């Protein structure tokens, strides 16, 4: 693509924007968007979300890091999202490079492009966005004039499939880590040193993983023989962590989009981490320990958010908001102070065993829109295996209380393909769904609608189930058909995840750096937006695997041994690997592990290893 100025990009884009779907995805200039003078800043960064605008703008991490970087006078941060298929076509036909929303500057003009890794099925979008920007996909093909390509987020805890494309990864929470990295970039601009020397400096920052300095060798059977770190870098890169959430940066003037986004409301982060210990849940392991914000901090942030956004709904977000120890007083105070302005509160995640119908009624006073619960498994035995800590009685009590208070719509989330799952566990899903529906009918509720959603178990790194295989697609498909057949009832609605998408997700979730050529091949053959059903090209992926001689079952369907070297062994979540082994043993014994917030330490190791502790404000 030829060199083009920001003004020319803007002029050309404005000509064809009326022809594309949702033009306001691509124009910027939203309320609270920040436009800085390039010439008055030392480092220019663009925060890149590898999905459409509506998804990216709903992500709290995007909001936090965008405003955090811009809070430093010497730094500038703009935004870019993956353009939808129609917009990409226009950009390619007219040879317009991918640009940032605030200034229309081409991405190639920035010093740093920071991608967030939320979902394995968005990896192709990262490579496609680099290609659209006219930046070589492979780090080895980029020169000193190209931006540094960095990435962070939950998928960075197994970054290996992206090694070769990303210069370095930020592991953990970036509030302190990212500004430190940008200061090193500023220094590099003033006093340039060789690429490897700069990367050596960056590798000294807590939680920064530079793949160049880690070398992997393999056994004849394809398993990893060893991962060796060069001298001068840590053998295990331990995550960065924010110790005091009350002191952590939080934006109270977020960008307000012109178009409706997925989560179109104010967001208040009440806490980080979860100590429930569900054994399939990566977030529950990597975001430990639990740290809460104080009620005073949250009420002050609410006041500023209401004043700066104009939204009439505020979501109290966390992995399990109902577990926040000050939840009741915070909700009551928000409604007391802002209810008269029409501001309501929503709780995105409610646990069955901490469900409070009065609380649910308080936050849904205006409309009873439906309640969502996640039993995850159909039998108590399997709930013990996954350490869900929820009993059938909890669910039925919660459903009964909800029906009595006027709700008629309930959603139930389950997983299929969990380790040790049997036919009895599948039948348990049907049994539970019907019990909930029958309860509503018995209590005289009309228009009962119980939606049952099943996702497919994908083993994730840094969890007690990281050694487990994913169940074969054919077997999962049979289970889904069986459920579909048995859940035929006008009161029941059954949704399920696509087997093929979940299979590929498992390949990348457990993958190593030998998958990088597959990603590159897939992008060159038209794969992008793989998480979107209508765009997913399964046959193309299968063709690529065959052409490159990669066995997907080796990654997705192989049981790993405890003494296997895992692709992510050199990435540290703070949780002791031995604790994960013990939890896996306990799962197979159907033994539960207690929540360490209210009992003895379970020995996961994160608090002593990182000099941090659980912080409850209630």
């Amino acid at each position: 693509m030829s060199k083009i100025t920001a003004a020319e990009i803007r002029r050309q884009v404005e000509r064809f924007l009326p022809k594309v779907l949702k033009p306001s995805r691509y124009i910027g200039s939203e309320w609270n968007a920040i436009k800085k003078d390039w010439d008055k800043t030392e480092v220019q960064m663009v925060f890149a979300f590898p999905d459409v605008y509506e998804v990216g703008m709903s992500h709290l991490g995007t909001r936090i890091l965008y405003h955090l970087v811009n809070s430093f006078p010497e730094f500038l941060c703009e935004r870019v999202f993956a353009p939808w298929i129609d917009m990409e076509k226009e950009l390619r036909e007219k040879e317009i490079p991918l640009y940032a929303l605030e200034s229309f500057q081409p991405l190639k003009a920035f010093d740093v492009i920071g991608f967030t890794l939320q979902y394995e099925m968005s990896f192709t979008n990262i490579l496609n966005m680099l290609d659209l920007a006219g930046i070589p996909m492979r780090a080895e093909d980029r020169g000193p004039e190209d931006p540094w390509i960095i990435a962070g987020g939950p998928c960075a805890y197994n970054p290996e499939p992206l090694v070769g494309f990303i210069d370095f990864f930020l592991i953990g929470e970036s509030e302190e880590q990212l500004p430190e990295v940008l200061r090193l970039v500023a220094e590099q601009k003033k006093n340039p040193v060789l690429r490897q020397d700069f990367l050596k400096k960056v590798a000294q920052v807590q939680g920064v993983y530079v793949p160049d300095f880690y070398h992997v060798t393999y056994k004849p059977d394809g398993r990893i023989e060893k991962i060796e770190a060069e001298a001068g870098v840590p053998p295990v890169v331990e995550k960065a962590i924010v110790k005091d959430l009350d002191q952590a940066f939080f934006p109270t003037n977020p960008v307000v989009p012109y178009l409706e986004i997925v989560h179109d409301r104010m967001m208040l982060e009440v806490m980080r981490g979860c100590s429930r210990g569900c054994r399939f849940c990566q977030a529950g392991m990597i975001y430990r320990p639990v740290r809460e914000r104080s009620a005073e901090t949250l009420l002050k942030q609410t006041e500023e958010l209401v004043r700066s956004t104009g939204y009439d709904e505020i979501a109290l977000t966390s992995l399990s908001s109902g577990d926040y120890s000050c939840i009741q007083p915070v909700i009551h105070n928000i409604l007391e102070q802002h209810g008269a302005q029409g501001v309501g509160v929503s709780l995105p995640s409610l646990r069955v065993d901490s469900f409070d119908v009065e609380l649910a009624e308080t936050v849904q006073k205006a409309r009873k829109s439906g309640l969502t619960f996640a039993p995850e498994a159909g039998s108590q035995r399997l709930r013990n295996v996954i350490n869900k800590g929820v009993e059938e009685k909890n669910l039925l009590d919660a459903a009964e209380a909800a029906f009595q208070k006027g709700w008629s719509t309930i959603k139930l989330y389950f997983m299929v393909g969990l380790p040790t799952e049997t036919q009895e566990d599948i039948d348990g899903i049907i049994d539970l769904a019907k019990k909930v529906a029958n309860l509503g009918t018995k209590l005289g509720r009309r228009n009962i609608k119980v939606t049952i959603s099943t996702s497919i178990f994908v083993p994730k790194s840094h969890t007690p189930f990281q050694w487990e295989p994913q169940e074969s697609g054919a077997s999962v498909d049979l289970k889904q058909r069986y459920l579909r057949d048995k859940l035929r009832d006008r009161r029941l609605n059954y949704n399920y995840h696509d087997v093929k998408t979940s299979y590929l997700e498992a390949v990348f979730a457990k993958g190593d750096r030998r998958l990088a050529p597959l990603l590159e091949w897939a992008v060159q053959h038209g794969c992008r937006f793989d998480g979107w059903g209508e765009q997913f090209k399964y046959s193309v992926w299968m063709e690529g695997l065959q052409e490159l001689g990669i066995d997907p079952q080796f990654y997705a369907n192989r049981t790993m041994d405890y003494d296997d070297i895992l692709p992510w062994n050199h990435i540290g979540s703070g949780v002791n690997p031995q604790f994960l082994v013990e939890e896996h043993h306990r799962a197979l014994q159907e033994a539960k592990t207690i929540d360490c917030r209210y009992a003895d330490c379970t020995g996961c190791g994160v608090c002593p290893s990182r000099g941090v502790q659980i912080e409850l404000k209630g």
Side-chain angles (χ1 to χ4, degrees):
M1 288 178 185
S2 55
K3 206 159 190 180
I4 185 170
T5 67
E8 286 167 342
I9 290 174
R10 182 191 289 269
R11 194 161 48 246
Q12 287 202 47
V13 166
E14 283 174 352
R15 279 189 199 138
F16 67 74
L17 263 187
K19 289 161 57 178
V20 304
L21 189 69
K22 300 185 181 179
S24 43
R25 287 170 168 166
Y26 310 109
I27 56 174
S29 300
E30 309 99 319
W31 182 258
N32 290 336
I34 298 168
K35 293 190 179 183
K36 284 190 168 184
D37 187 334
W38 271 60
D39 299 329
K40 292 180 180 169
T41 54
E42 296 172 26
V43 176
Q44 293 85 36
M45 172 182 172
V46 61
F47 188 94
F49 198 98
D51 210 323
V52 289
Y53 178 94
E54 301 94 291
V55 175
M57 284 301 294
S58 300
H59 179 241
L60 185 59
T62 304
R63 301 182 188 198
I64 292 173
L65 294 179
Y66 172 76
H67 287 276
L68 167 73
V69 173
N70 279 318
S71 70
F72 292 86
E74 67 270 34
F75 303 145
L76 167 153
C77 187
E78 299 190 1
R79 296 161 297 142
V80 66
F81 303 90
W84 190 245
I85 310 302
D86 55 350
M87 182 64 170
E88 178 184 341
K89 183 171 176 284
E90 294 289 343
L91 292 175
R92 288 196 185 277
E93 281 179 1
K94 293 170 177 60
E95 295 193 341
I96 300 169
L98 193 59
Y99 59 90
L101 291 185
E102 279 74 8
S103 64
F104 279 73
Q105 286 282 1
L107 262 54
K108 204 174 167 71
F110 288 82
D111 301 309
V112 178
I113 301 176
F115 285 96
T116 181
L117 310 177
Q118 295 298 314
Y119 180 36
E120 290 85 356
M121 301 311 288
S122 66
F123 286 179
T124 50
N125 278 5
I126 294 170
L127 273 59
N128 193 47
M129 288 169 78
L130 290 176
D131 188 54
L132 274 168
I135 297 167
M137 291 186 202
R138 290 256 174 201
E140 64 191 20
D141 298 329
R142 297 196 284 262
E145 73 287 351
D146 288 308
W148 294 102
I149 309 301
I150 69 175
C155 292
Y157 282 86
N158 178 22
E160 293 303 285
L162 286 167
V163 165
F165 310 114
I166 307 294
D167 292 307
F168 54 91
F169 296 85
L170 276 59
I171 313 296
E173 298 167 346
S174 298
E175 282 95 332
E176 292 160 21
Q177 179 194 43
L178 181 56
E180 200 175 336
V181 164
L182 295 180
R183 285 185 199 103
L184 289 174
V185 172
E187 186 188 312
Q188 170 72 356
K189 282 179 76 176
K190 286 179 202 157
N191 306 299
V193 295
L194 291 172
R195 170 190 160 84
Q196 294 302 95
D197 294 336
F198 169 74
L199 289 175
K200 265 275 158 68
K201 286 186 198 172
V202 171
Q204 308 312 310
V205 176
Q206 179 70 52
V208 172
Y209 167 50
V210 183
D212 282 16
F213 304 134
Y214 297 79
H215 306 286
V216 184
T217 51
Y218 301 93
K219 296 177 179 178
D221 65 4
R223 290 180 302 153
I224 293 172
E225 185 170 39
K226 60 176 182 284
I227 302 171
E228 282 186 301
E230 289 184 12
V233 297
V236 176
V237 179
E238 290 288 354
K239 72 177 180 185
I241 192 165
V242 170
K243 292 182 180 177
D244 183 350
L245 217 53
D246 270 342
Q247 298 304 312
F249 177 87
F250 189 82
T252 53
N253 58 335
V255 177
V256 181
Y258 290 128
L259 74 159
E260 190 176 344
I261 59 174
V262 177
H263 301 302
D264 208 14
R265 56 199 177 206
M266 296 173 273
M267 287 193 220
L268 204 57
E269 186 187 29
V270 297
M271 62 190 245
R272 267 185 212 173
C274 176
S275 50
R276 294 278 189 163
C278 296
R279 293 174 179 134
F280 60 83
C281 180
Q282 187 186 51
M285 296 294 161
I286 64 176
Y287 292 127
R288 289 180 175 215
V290 169
R291 290 145 292 152
E292 296 186 343
R293 277 197 170 93
S294 67
E296 294 75 28
T297 299
L298 293 173
L299 293 170
K300 183 170 176 288
Q301 289 175 350
T302 301
E303 196 171 315
E304 293 169 8
L305 280 165
V306 170
R307 195 166 53 236
S308 70
T309 65
Y311 277 120
D312 62 1
E313 183 184 351
I314 187 157
L316 305 185
T317 69
S318 76
L319 291 174
S320 183
S321 303
D323 286 343
Y324 173 54
S325 60
C326 306
I327 192 75
Q328 298 219 7
V330 164
I331 287 173
H332 289 303
N333 282 329
I334 288 174
L335 293 174
E336 195 176 296
Q337 291 175 25
H338 305 286
Q341 298 163 259
V343 174
V345 175
S346 66
L347 289 171
S349 48
L350 290 169
R351 280 185 59 101
V352 174
D353 54 345
S354 61
F355 176 68
D356 181 334
V357 71
E358 306 296 333
L359 193 64
E361 202 172 30
T362 303
V363 301
Q364 290 200 11
K365 247 177 192 150
R367 63 191 195 287
K368 292 200 163 38
S369 58
L371 295 169
T372 301
F373 300 115
E376 307 290 2
S379 72
Q380 192 56 48
R381 183 201 69 80
L382 191 51
R383 286 193 289 274
N384 291 346
V385 168
I386 65 176
N387 204 43
K388 186 62 186 174
V390 166
E391 298 187 4
E392 183 177 302
K393 184 180 184 307
N394 300 136
L395 175 62
L396 296 179
D397 286 350
E400 183 174 10
F403 287 136
Q404 284 176 336
K405 288 288 186 178
W407 274 274
S408 57
T409 303
I410 289 179
K411 290 181 185 172
L412 302 176
Y413 280 110
F414 295 93
M415 295 178 90
V416 294
L418 285 162
T420 80
E421 186 177 78
T422 65
Q423 183 59 41
E424 286 75 22
D425 303 312
I426 298 298
D427 287 331
I429 294 174
I430 299 158
D431 186 47
L432 260 182
K434 289 183 175 176
K435 279 181 179 174
V436 170
N438 290 340
L439 199 55
T441 302
K442 183 179 148 193
L443 291 167
R445 298 301 310 158
R446 291 184 180 180
N447 303 320
I448 294 286
K449 183 58 69 181
V450 179
T451 297
I452 302 96
S453 288
T454 59
S455 61
I456 299 165
F457 167 67
V458 176
K460 297 279 180 167
S461 64
H462 304 278
T463 68
F465 288 160
Q466 63 184 353
W467 296 278
E468 290 283 346
Q470 185 179 58
E471 190 172 336
S472 76
S475 174
V476 170
D477 191 46
L478 280 174
K479 289 178 179 179
Q480 289 180 338
R481 288 185 192 191
Y482 179 78
L483 286 167
R484 196 171 60 204
D485 186 52
K486 296 289 183 181
L487 291 169
R488 291 185 197 279
D489 182 319
R490 60 180 178 76
R491 302 167 304 168
L492 305 179
N493 181 37
Y494 178 46
N495 300 323
Y496 51 92
H497 278 215
D498 177 53
V499 172
K500 292 171 180 174
T501 311
S502 295
Y503 180 47
L504 210 62
E505 183 187 343
V507 169
F508 284 107
K510 294 187 77 170
D512 54 42
R513 52 181 70 181
R514 290 173 295 184
L515 292 177
L518 173 65
L519 276 175
E520 195 170 23
W521 187 97
V523 172
Q524 287 163 353
H525 288 77
C527 291
R528 63 224 348 81
F529 288 106
D530 297 293
W532 294 69
E534 71 273 29
Q535 297 301 327
F536 182 51
K537 298 179 174 71
Y538 183 69
S539 60
V540 175
W541 281 102
M542 292 303 106
E543 188 188 330
L545 285 160
Q546 192 172 358
E547 190 166 312
L548 297 170
I550 296 169
D551 176 11
Q553 294 185 357
F554 176 81
Y555 297 106
N557 307 123
R558 177 172 60 98
T559 302
M560 291 174 160
D561 296 327
Y562 293 140
D563 58 358
D564 277 348
I565 292 173
L566 306 175
W568 50 88
N569 264 19
H570 54 307
I571 305 297
S573 67
V575 173
N576 188 326
Q578 187 54 39
F579 171 77
L580 298 178
V581 171
E582 288 162 10
E583 276 297 285
H584 190 236
H585 283 310
R586 291 177 67 79
L588 299 178
Q589 293 158 7
E590 299 169 19
K592 291 191 282 187
T593 298
I594 48 169
D595 186 333
C596 63
R597 284 173 307 166
Y598 308 118
D600 295 337
C601 170
T602 54
C604 81
V606 72
C607 295
S609 72
R610 298 313 323 279
V612 68
Q613 59 189 21
I614 289 174
E615 191 168 10
L616 306 181
K617 301 293 187 179

